[in-house]
């Protein structure tokens, strides 16, 4: 299918908000039996563009899913909604050099809107890069990167921050029953960041809402949940999406009542069916607390 080649690919700050919800910190030594602590230090989040975000824990900056190309660099994903539209649909809000000011990169998966040709060419070859499995690590190493590590569900520690892999599903069960489509969609992961006296952050990644997401929310009790909510759609399975949408924002808001829900992965790739404007309108209509249900602009920063 055309989608396989399209998805895998070969090829400043606009605002600050202080978020002050109570924390539940899951100890790195015991994720299942959470240890209650009070967060006394600040985590900084920055929305870059699409699923590209930054998280800073005590001066250690993690860059997640860098897509670094200029506006309109690539043809739209084949076999998806609005495939005639080129992407990225918007420019980066800051320079590439600014985006690359990071201590490590985490790749939830290798689809081209999360790890594009520009990133593959521009990221320093000695940058520490974390992947979801050995298969992705081998592909990244083949491009000449020399410090490629694999995350696990048990977690690894980098400069004092524990990074835990969570499981995602990049489409519905029905989609994964189509062999070529299952191969194209592939595997993906989420990430939970933990550090003593800091808020716990769950980057859910490219997934639909399912039991794995609920299990992660229950296990880690994150203080901030970052959802990819662009509701990306294929040209088949027109009633479903391969990532979350506005109804999932509502689900997360209800499921984790003490967490900020930060919504990204919108207004950048051709197959996204949910815009920031529409999601903000939905948040208004549902009377959700705007201090908890957040839709950042590109470049915007939150501290919590």
């Amino acid at each position: 299918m055309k989608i396989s080649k399209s998805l895998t690919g070969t090829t400043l700050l606009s605002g600050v908000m202080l978020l002050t919800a109570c924390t539940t910190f899951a100890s790195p030594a015991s994720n299942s039996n959470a240890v209650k602590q009070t967060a006394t230090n600040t985590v900084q989040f920055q929305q870059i563009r699409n699923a590209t975000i930054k998280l800073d824990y005590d001066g250690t900056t993690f860059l997640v899913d860098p897509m670094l190309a200029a506006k309109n660099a690539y043809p739209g994903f084949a076999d998806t909604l609005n495939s005639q539209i080129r992407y990225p649909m918007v420019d980066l809000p800051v320079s590439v050099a600014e985006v690359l000011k990071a201590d490590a990169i985490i790749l939830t998966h290798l689809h081209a809107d999360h790890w594009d040709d520009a990133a593959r060419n521009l990221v320093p070859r000695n940058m520490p890069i974390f992947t979801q499995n050995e298969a992705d690590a081998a592909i990244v190493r083949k491009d000449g990167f020399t410090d490629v590590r694999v995350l696990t569900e048990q977690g690894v520690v980098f400069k004092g921050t524990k990074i835990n892999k969570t499981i995602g599903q990049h489409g519905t069960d029905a989609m994964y029953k189509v062999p070529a489509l299952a191969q194209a969609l592939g595997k993906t992961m989420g990430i939970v960041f933990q550090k003593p006296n800091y808020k716990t952050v769950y980057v859910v990644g490219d997934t639909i809402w399912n039991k794995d997401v609920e299990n992660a929310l229950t296990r880690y009790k994150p203080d901030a949940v970052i959802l990819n909510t662009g509701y990306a759609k294929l040209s088949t399975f027109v009633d479903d999406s391969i990532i979350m949408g506005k109804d999932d924002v509502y689900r997360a808001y209800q499921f984790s009542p003490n967490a900020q829900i930060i919504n990204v992965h919108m207004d950048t790739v051709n197959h996204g069916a949910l815009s920031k404007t529409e999601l903000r309108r939905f948040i208004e209509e549902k009377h959700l607390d705007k201090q908890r249900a957040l839709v950042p602009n590109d470049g915007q920063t939150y501290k919590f």
Side-chain angles (χ1 to χ4, degrees), residues 231-257:
Y231 206 63
K233 297 177 72 67
L234 308 176
S235 54
T236 54
F237 296 95
V238 294
D239 294 327
D240 295 307
S241 169
I242 59 176
I243 61 174
M244 294 190 191
K246 60 187 180 183
D247 291 336
D248 302 301
V249 175
Y250 191 65
R251 287 190 186 99
Y253 185 93
Q254 293 181 307
F255 196 94
S256 297

Side-chain angles (χ1 to χ4, degrees), residues 24-280:
T24 302
F25 174 75
S27 165
S30 177
N31 288 327
S32 298
N33 301 312
V35 177
K36 303 289 185 179
Q37 295 187 358
T38 299
T40 56
N41 297 305
T42 297
V43 177
Q44 179 166 291
F45 160 91
Q46 186 180 16
Q47 167 65 16
I48 301 300
R49 180 182 62 181
N50 200 47
T52 307
I53 64 170
K54 279 183 165 183
L55 284 171
D56 186 288
Y57 278 78
D58 193 27
T60 299
T61 301
F62 299 94
L63 173 62
V64 179
D65 287 350
M67 178 177 65
L68 302 181
K71 181 179 178 180
N72 297 330
Y74 308 120
F77 291 119
D79 302 321
T80 69
L81 179 71
N82 296 323
S83 60
Q84 75 282 1
I85 298 175
R86 298 181 69 86
Y87 81 98
M89 294 160 55
V90 294
D91 281 315
L92 286 167
V94 296
S95 69
V96 169
E98 188 68 24
V99 176
L100 289 177
K101 289 180 181 177
D103 297 285
I105 287 174
I106 302 177
L107 304 177
T108 61
H109 61 304
L110 303 185
H111 285 169
D113 56 334
H114 295 255
W115 178 238
D116 68 338
D117 285 348
R120 290 169 56 246
N121 290 323
L122 293 169
V123 170
R125 284 328 192 234
N126 62 349
M127 173 75 79
I129 298 178
F130 292 91
T131 67
Q132 65 172 323
N133 53 34
E134 285 291 348
D136 282 7
I139 293 170
V140 176
R141 291 187 188 111
K142 189 175 180 181
D143 285 330
F145 294 94
T146 59
D147 187 359
V148 184
R149 316 178 194 188
V150 176
L151 290 181
T152 67
E153 292 181 67
Q154 292 71 39
V156 300
V157 177
F158 182 81
K159 295 183 181 291
T161 299
K162 190 173 186 186
I163 317 165
N164 307 274
K165 170 184 171 179
T166 66
I167 303 302
Q169 182 176 314
H170 203 348
T172 65
D173 291 343
M175 292 174 186
Y176 275 88
K177 290 179 181 178
V178 180
L181 184 54
Q183 182 178 6
L185 293 171
K187 294 182 178 180
T188 186
M189 70 171 175
I191 319 147
V192 174
F193 295 85
Q194 300 172 299
K195 187 170 184 177
N197 300 317
Y198 286 81
K199 304 284 190 175
T200 296
V201 179
Y202 176 22
V203 179
V204 181
D206 270 11
T207 183
I208 61 170
W209 186 278
N210 62 9
K211 196 65 177 177
D212 289 322
V213 173
E214 291 184 358
N215 288 342
L217 291 169
T218 300
R219 177 182 184 183
Y220 293 105
K221 297 179 173 58
D223 303 287
V225 180
I226 301 170
L227 298 180
N228 291 355
T229 52
Y231 206 63
K233 297 177 72 67
L234 308 176
S235 54
T236 54
F237 296 95
V238 294
D239 294 327
D240 295 307
S241 169
I242 59 176
I243 61 174
M244 294 190 191
K246 60 187 180 183
D247 291 336
D248 302 301
V249 175
Y250 191 65
R251 287 190 186 99
Y253 185 93
Q254 293 181 307
F255 196 94
S256 297
N258 295 317
Q260 271 75 36
I261 312 300
I262 303 172
N263 302 285
V264 302
H265 205 322
M266 288 171 281
D267 296 341
T268 311
V269 289
N270 65 278
H271 54 322
L274 179 64
S275 69
K276 295 173 188 175
T277 299
E278 183 181 354
L279 181 54
R280 289 173 180 142

